[in-house]
Amino acid sequence: MLSDFVDRSRSIEELEGDRWPDPPGDSTSLVRSVHELRRRAIEDLSVEDLRRLIAQDVGLHWLLPVALDFLRETAPQEAAGGWYDDDLLSAALTRKESVWRSAPELARHLDGTVRMLTDLSPYVQREVDEFRATLSDVL
């Protein structure tokens, strides 16, 4: 598994060795949530929590492998169910090109997982097409 190196009992904050200060009192709920989720053990993060952190480019070194393993594990059931529109997949597909170029094995893994899926929503299919076009030389 891609995430075998990730100590899921630890938080992003612990793994990075970087404690963020508490957010200002007038912060948005998204900012407060991201700060709180960074302090939670990875094993305690829900799929939605992973999506939120990945979409904010937080802890990608640890969370992308965890998310990609989850997506690969669930792809066969998702493909069997038909219509596929997934926020975690979308969050992964839409990371910056530099993220994938610095970890081409992750990009290839994600591409392989997407190839297992059928009947993608038009929205997700557009993201897949953009991902593949941008990284065609890596995939």
Side-chain angles (χ1 to χ4, degrees):
M1 291 181 59
L2 292 174
S3 63
D4 284 344
F5 75 96
V6 178
D7 182 350
R8 293 175 189 229
S9 70
R10 299 180 71 197
S11 67
I12 295 301
E13 185 174 271
E14 291 170 322
L15 292 167
E16 289 180 345
D18 182 21
R19 178 163 167 60
W20 289 3
D22 289 335
D26 61 347
S27 296
T28 65
S29 61
L30 175 61
V31 169
R32 288 190 307 274
S33 172
V34 167
H35 277 253
E36 188 273 321
L37 293 173
R38 282 187 81 251
R39 296 177 179 148
R40 192 179 299 171
I42 291 173
E43 65 192 4
D44 295 333
L45 296 174
S46 69
V47 172
E48 174 58 22
D49 297 336
L50 288 173
R51 184 214 52 87
R52 177 168 287 158
L53 290 166
I54 289 169
Q56 296 302 310
D57 293 318
V58 173
L60 294 180
H61 177 74
W62 294 277
L63 297 182
L64 273 178
V66 171
L68 296 182
D69 282 346
F70 174 81
L71 290 168
R72 177 66 61 98
E73 290 169 14
T74 60
Q77 301 95 288
E78 295 293 344
W83 181 257
Y84 192 78
D85 186 14
D86 183 89
D87 291 338
L88 180 59
L89 175 60
S90 182
L93 286 166
T94 57
R95 293 312 83 220
K96 295 176 188 169
E97 178 181 352
S98 60
V99 169
W100 299 114
R101 290 202 176 275
S102 68
E105 70 285 356
L106 297 182
R108 288 188 290 274
H109 190 274
L110 178 55
D111 185 58
T113 298
V114 169
R115 291 182 188 284
M116 298 169 69
L117 301 171
T118 57
D119 203 16
L120 294 172
S121 75
Y123 172 75
V124 173
Q125 186 61 58
R126 260 191 313 278
E127 293 171 343
V128 168
D129 294 343
E130 289 173 17
F131 172 81
R132 287 181 174 151
T134 302
L135 299 166
S136 62
D137 61 315
V138 172
L139 303 175

